Amino acid sequence: MRSEQEAERAIRLYSDTIRRICFVHLKNHADVEDIFQDVFLKYILSDTVFKNNEHEKAWFIRVTVNACRDLIKSAFRSRSVSLDEAINATSNANEDDRHVLEAVLKLPKKYRDIVYLHYYEGYTAPEIGKILNKNENTVYTILKRARELLKKSLGGDENG
Amino acid sequence: MDKSIKNAFEKITAEDSLKRNTMAFLKENAYSKKEPARTRKRSLVLALAGLILIVFVAGGFGMYFTPVSAISVDVNPSFELGVNLFDKVISVKNQNPEDKSVSVPGGIKYKDYAQALDTLLASEELSAYIKDDAVISVTAVGSSEKAGKQMLGKISACNFAQRQGAICSYESREEAKTAKDLGISLGKYRMYLLLLKLDAEITPEAANNMTMRELKDLIYKLSEEKGVEAPNLGQGTGYRGGK
């Protein structure tokens, strides 16, 4: 089992990443807390040896995405709030930010992780494919489709 | 668009309370001195196994020290041996009505009852009472009639049983209880029953105050007086009773 110091370091380093993944999947703070507890408990109990921080971060992303999907499928999950409440509760976003986040949350569920990982974390399609265990071409296709949908919602340039 | 998406996500951060709560959760559930649930489950299984073992050992211990049969030895003094399920003597009681100070010979307890009987009857404490013409009555009370007969067979093969004057018999629990209620040893009780057929006025107390030799002589005397055949008493293992 990993030490308390390792747990504190991991919480410090990866909490924001986990929180953002939770944001694209969950709309309830209690669910977010559940995911945090689940992910970090798995981390301290895991005997995986990480080659570097990138490897470790990819592990956290994968475990968090899977935990969120499991929670959504869970019969015990009955808590939900509106989209507005979700955005209000999770960010200190301004009006523009809120508009963007709302557009992301309106994307199909399976697009959201990929959008976040690509646009915020800067992962390429092959990297996202490895982390999420998805076919690279599928990731490309999703990214293309998501971009089209976001452009429609947000307007903007052709970059990315 | 790329930049605006990145900027928007940048605003989403984990609240300090969320981090604190998560760490508190880990401390309570993984780092506290309380063992993790899986270990606790294993400990519970071990504890239960230990409990079963204790119950088993305690049960075995209790079973070892529970008498299931008894052997009454009447020489005057009289002794009662308590015998457990494993044929071991677990108690020796002095039943001599006149002299409770007759000491119980050592080396009797925890022996197989056949060995214990030979040890008891060859002991210094009893040798003073066992004269050449002494009557030694050994009566087994088994948990059942079958058990009583088995005990009798084993007792009859003992060294003491080969001497003149030894009377080996078995008796039912009901008769043993009656003897106990009358305050008389089992060997003397059997003699008393024989005497009762010859002398209706004989009392248990009177029989109890006589030695086995005296009881035997009285039976022979009354039988002769009444012209009836005397029971075969004190001829090796010749007399065997039972229900």
Side-chain angles (χ1 to χ4, degrees), chain B residues 139-159:
Chain B
T139 310
V141 181
S143 53
S144 64
E145 188 177 348
K146 188 181 170 189
K149 283 181 180 173
Q150 284 176 343
M151 288 178 80
L152 176 61
K154 203 168 167 181
I155 290 168
S156 298
C158 290
N159 291 333

PDB file of all heavy atoms in Angstrom, chain B residues 139-159:
ATOM      1  N   THR B 139     -18.349 -53.944  41.519  1.00  0.00           N
ATOM      2  CA  THR B 139     -19.586 -53.879  40.737  1.00  0.00           C
ATOM      3  C   THR B 139     -19.497 -52.740  39.725  1.00  0.00           C
ATOM      4  O   THR B 139     -19.233 -51.582  40.099  1.00  0.00           O
ATOM      5  CB  THR B 139     -20.804 -53.639  41.660  1.00  0.00           C
ATOM      6  OG1 THR B 139     -20.748 -54.590  42.724  1.00  0.00           O
ATOM      7  CG2 THR B 139     -22.103 -53.790  40.895  1.00  0.00           C
ATOM      8  N   ALA B 140     -19.718 -53.088  38.477  1.00  0.00           N
ATOM      9  CA  ALA B 140     -19.658 -52.071  37.412  1.00  0.00           C
ATOM     10  C   ALA B 140     -21.062 -51.563  37.103  1.00  0.00           C
ATOM     11  O   ALA B 140     -22.012 -52.349  37.049  1.00  0.00           O
ATOM     12  CB  ALA B 140     -19.041 -52.674  36.162  1.00  0.00           C
ATOM     13  N   VAL B 141     -21.163 -50.251  36.909  1.00  0.00           N
ATOM     14  CA  VAL B 141     -22.427 -49.653  36.462  1.00  0.00           C
ATOM     15  C   VAL B 141     -22.141 -48.939  35.155  1.00  0.00           C
ATOM     16  O   VAL B 141     -21.497 -47.876  35.130  1.00  0.00           O
ATOM     17  CB  VAL B 141     -22.987 -48.651  37.502  1.00  0.00           C
ATOM     18  CG1 VAL B 141     -24.306 -48.065  37.004  1.00  0.00           C
ATOM     19  CG2 VAL B 141     -23.155 -49.319  38.833  1.00  0.00           C
ATOM     20  N   GLY B 142     -22.552 -49.546  34.067  1.00  0.00           N
ATOM     21  CA  GLY B 142     -22.267 -48.959  32.753  1.00  0.00           C
ATOM     22  C   GLY B 142     -23.355 -48.003  32.325  1.00  0.00           C
ATOM     23  O   GLY B 142     -24.395 -47.880  32.973  1.00  0.00           O
ATOM     24  N   SER B 143     -23.069 -47.327  31.193  1.00  0.00           N
ATOM     25  CA  SER B 143     -24.067 -46.390  30.671  1.00  0.00           C
ATOM     26  C   SER B 143     -25.261 -47.159  30.107  1.00  0.00           C
ATOM     27  O   SER B 143     -26.327 -46.592  29.900  1.00  0.00           O
ATOM     28  CB  SER B 143     -23.434 -45.505  29.587  1.00  0.00           C
ATOM     29  OG  SER B 143     -22.805 -46.310  28.608  1.00  0.00           O
ATOM     30  N   SER B 144     -25.072 -48.434  29.812  1.00  0.00           N
ATOM     31  CA  SER B 144     -26.152 -49.292  29.339  1.00  0.00           C
ATOM     32  C   SER B 144     -25.851 -50.709  29.830  1.00  0.00           C
ATOM     33  O   SER B 144     -24.765 -50.959  30.355  1.00  0.00           O
ATOM     34  CB  SER B 144     -26.206 -49.267  27.806  1.00  0.00           C
ATOM     35  OG  SER B 144     -25.006 -49.813  27.291  1.00  0.00           O
ATOM     36  N   GLU B 145     -26.792 -51.598  29.634  1.00  0.00           N
ATOM     37  CA  GLU B 145     -26.565 -52.977  30.056  1.00  0.00           C
ATOM     38  C   GLU B 145     -25.388 -53.574  29.287  1.00  0.00           C
ATOM     39  O   GLU B 145     -24.547 -54.282  29.847  1.00  0.00           O
ATOM     40  CB  GLU B 145     -27.837 -53.810  29.839  1.00  0.00           C
ATOM     41  CG  GLU B 145     -27.719 -55.198  30.440  1.00  0.00           C
ATOM     42  CD  GLU B 145     -28.998 -56.016  30.305  1.00  0.00           C
ATOM     43  OE1 GLU B 145     -30.028 -55.430  29.962  1.00  0.00           O
ATOM     44  OE2 GLU B 145     -28.922 -57.235  30.526  1.00  0.00           O
ATOM     45  N   LYS B 146     -25.347 -53.255  27.978  1.00  0.00           N
ATOM     46  CA  LYS B 146     -24.262 -53.769  27.138  1.00  0.00           C
ATOM     47  C   LYS B 146     -22.912 -53.263  27.660  1.00  0.00           C
ATOM     48  O   LYS B 146     -21.947 -54.028  27.777  1.00  0.00           O
ATOM     49  CB  LYS B 146     -24.478 -53.282  25.696  1.00  0.00           C
ATOM     50  CG  LYS B 146     -23.524 -53.899  24.705  1.00  0.00           C
ATOM     51  CD  LYS B 146     -23.797 -53.341  23.307  1.00  0.00           C
ATOM     52  CE  LYS B 146     -22.691 -53.774  22.348  1.00  0.00           C
ATOM     53  NZ  LYS B 146     -22.804 -53.087  21.070  1.00  0.00           N
ATOM     54  N   ALA B 147     -22.879 -51.975  27.985  1.00  0.00           N
ATOM     55  CA  ALA B 147     -21.626 -51.389  28.490  1.00  0.00           C
ATOM     56  C   ALA B 147     -21.255 -52.032  29.825  1.00  0.00           C
ATOM     57  O   ALA B 147     -20.075 -52.296  30.093  1.00  0.00           O
ATOM     58  CB  ALA B 147     -21.776 -49.872  28.638  1.00  0.00           C
ATOM     59  N   GLY B 148     -22.262 -52.273  30.660  1.00  0.00           N
ATOM     60  CA  GLY B 148     -22.004 -52.907  31.957  1.00  0.00           C
ATOM     61  C   GLY B 148     -21.410 -54.293  31.794  1.00  0.00           C
ATOM     62  O   GLY B 148     -20.461 -54.670  32.485  1.00  0.00           O
ATOM     63  N   LYS B 149     -21.936 -55.063  30.819  1.00  0.00           N
ATOM     64  CA  LYS B 149     -21.423 -56.414  30.563  1.00  0.00           C
ATOM     65  C   LYS B 149     -19.984 -56.361  30.052  1.00  0.00           C
ATOM     66  O   LYS B 149     -19.147 -57.182  30.421  1.00  0.00           O
ATOM     67  CB  LYS B 149     -22.313 -57.119  29.531  1.00  0.00           C
ATOM     68  CG  LYS B 149     -23.618 -57.632  30.101  1.00  0.00           C
ATOM     69  CD  LYS B 149     -24.437 -58.336  29.017  1.00  0.00           C
ATOM     70  CE  LYS B 149     -25.752 -58.857  29.590  1.00  0.00           C
ATOM     71  NZ  LYS B 149     -26.641 -59.399  28.559  1.00  0.00           N
ATOM     72  N   GLN B 150     -19.730 -55.370  29.180  1.00  0.00           N
ATOM     73  CA  GLN B 150     -18.368 -55.210  28.648  1.00  0.00           C
ATOM     74  C   GLN B 150     -17.392 -54.891  29.774  1.00  0.00           C
ATOM     75  O   GLN B 150     -16.278 -55.417  29.834  1.00  0.00           O
ATOM     76  CB  GLN B 150     -18.332 -54.098  27.587  1.00  0.00           C
ATOM     77  CG  GLN B 150     -18.920 -54.545  26.252  1.00  0.00           C
ATOM     78  CD  GLN B 150     -18.966 -53.424  25.235  1.00  0.00           C
ATOM     79  OE1 GLN B 150     -18.863 -52.250  25.591  1.00  0.00           O
ATOM     80  NE2 GLN B 150     -19.143 -53.785  23.974  1.00  0.00           N
ATOM     81  N   MET B 151     -17.823 -54.026  30.671  1.00  0.00           N
ATOM     82  CA  MET B 151     -16.964 -53.668  31.808  1.00  0.00           C
ATOM     83  C   MET B 151     -16.710 -54.892  32.685  1.00  0.00           C
ATOM     84  O   MET B 151     -15.591 -55.118  33.145  1.00  0.00           O
ATOM     85  CB  MET B 151     -17.614 -52.550  32.637  1.00  0.00           C
ATOM     86  CG  MET B 151     -17.602 -51.198  31.942  1.00  0.00           C
ATOM     87  SD  MET B 151     -18.436 -49.940  32.921  1.00  0.00           S
ATOM     88  CE  MET B 151     -17.154 -49.535  34.110  1.00  0.00           C
ATOM     89  N   LEU B 152     -17.774 -55.653  32.880  1.00  0.00           N
ATOM     90  CA  LEU B 152     -17.624 -56.832  33.721  1.00  0.00           C
ATOM     91  C   LEU B 152     -16.582 -57.799  33.130  1.00  0.00           C
ATOM     92  O   LEU B 152     -15.740 -58.348  33.847  1.00  0.00           O
ATOM     93  CB  LEU B 152     -18.975 -57.544  33.872  1.00  0.00           C
ATOM     94  CG  LEU B 152     -18.950 -58.864  34.646  1.00  0.00           C
ATOM     95  CD1 LEU B 152     -18.460 -58.651  36.079  1.00  0.00           C
ATOM     96  CD2 LEU B 152     -20.332 -59.517  34.666  1.00  0.00           C
ATOM     97  N   GLY B 153     -16.645 -57.981  31.800  1.00  0.00           N
ATOM     98  CA  GLY B 153     -15.683 -58.861  31.142  1.00  0.00           C
ATOM     99  C   GLY B 153     -14.258 -58.389  31.374  1.00  0.00           C
ATOM    100  O   GLY B 153     -13.348 -59.184  31.637  1.00  0.00           O
ATOM    101  N   LYS B 154     -14.061 -57.099  31.294  1.00  0.00           N
ATOM    102  CA  LYS B 154     -12.715 -56.527  31.455  1.00  0.00           C
ATOM    103  C   LYS B 154     -12.249 -56.633  32.907  1.00  0.00           C
ATOM    104  O   LYS B 154     -11.094 -56.969  33.185  1.00  0.00           O
ATOM    105  CB  LYS B 154     -12.774 -55.059  31.017  1.00  0.00           C
ATOM    106  CG  LYS B 154     -11.439 -54.476  30.589  1.00  0.00           C
ATOM    107  CD  LYS B 154     -11.683 -53.128  29.913  1.00  0.00           C
ATOM    108  CE  LYS B 154     -10.386 -52.376  29.754  1.00  0.00           C
ATOM    109  NZ  LYS B 154     -10.595 -51.075  29.130  1.00  0.00           N
ATOM    110  N   ILE B 155     -13.196 -56.373  33.818  1.00  0.00           N
ATOM    111  CA  ILE B 155     -12.855 -56.417  35.251  1.00  0.00           C
ATOM    112  C   ILE B 155     -12.542 -57.853  35.677  1.00  0.00           C
ATOM    113  O   ILE B 155     -11.623 -58.103  36.446  1.00  0.00           O
ATOM    114  CB  ILE B 155     -14.031 -55.832  36.083  1.00  0.00           C
ATOM    115  CG1 ILE B 155     -14.133 -54.319  35.865  1.00  0.00           C
ATOM    116  CG2 ILE B 155     -13.832 -56.133  37.576  1.00  0.00           C
ATOM    117  CD1 ILE B 155     -15.425 -53.723  36.408  1.00  0.00           C
ATOM    118  N   SER B 156     -13.299 -58.786  35.114  1.00  0.00           N
ATOM    119  CA  SER B 156     -13.113 -60.196  35.491  1.00  0.00           C
ATOM    120  C   SER B 156     -11.745 -60.725  35.076  1.00  0.00           C
ATOM    121  O   SER B 156     -11.280 -61.748  35.589  1.00  0.00           O
ATOM    122  CB  SER B 156     -14.200 -61.062  34.844  1.00  0.00           C
ATOM    123  OG  SER B 156     -15.450 -60.645  35.329  1.00  0.00           O
ATOM    124  N   ALA B 157     -11.116 -60.049  34.115  1.00  0.00           N
ATOM    125  CA  ALA B 157      -9.796 -60.483  33.652  1.00  0.00           C
ATOM    126  C   ALA B 157      -8.672 -59.857  34.476  1.00  0.00           C
ATOM    127  O   ALA B 157      -7.501 -60.132  34.246  1.00  0.00           O
ATOM    128  CB  ALA B 157      -9.637 -60.108  32.180  1.00  0.00           C
ATOM    129  N   CYS B 158      -9.053 -59.019  35.451  1.00  0.00           N
ATOM    130  CA  CYS B 158      -8.025 -58.345  36.264  1.00  0.00           C
ATOM    131  C   CYS B 158      -7.344 -59.347  37.212  1.00  0.00           C
ATOM    132  O   CYS B 158      -7.912 -60.403  37.524  1.00  0.00           O
ATOM    133  CB  CYS B 158      -8.655 -57.239  37.110  1.00  0.00           C
ATOM    134  SG  CYS B 158      -9.206 -55.833  36.149  1.00  0.00           S
ATOM    135  N   ASN B 159      -6.149 -58.969  37.657  1.00  0.00           N
ATOM    136  CA  ASN B 159      -5.400 -59.839  38.585  1.00  0.00           C
ATOM    137  C   ASN B 159      -6.180 -60.111  39.867  1.00  0.00           C
ATOM    138  O   ASN B 159      -6.263 -61.236  40.336  1.00  0.00           O
ATOM    139  CB  ASN B 159      -4.056 -59.202  38.947  1.00  0.00           C
ATOM    140  CG  ASN B 159      -3.120 -59.197  37.753  1.00  0.00           C
ATOM    141  OD1 ASN B 159      -3.229 -60.050  36.876  1.00  0.00           O
ATOM    142  ND2 ASN B 159      -2.220 -58.219  37.722  1.00  0.00           N
TER     143      ASN B 159
END
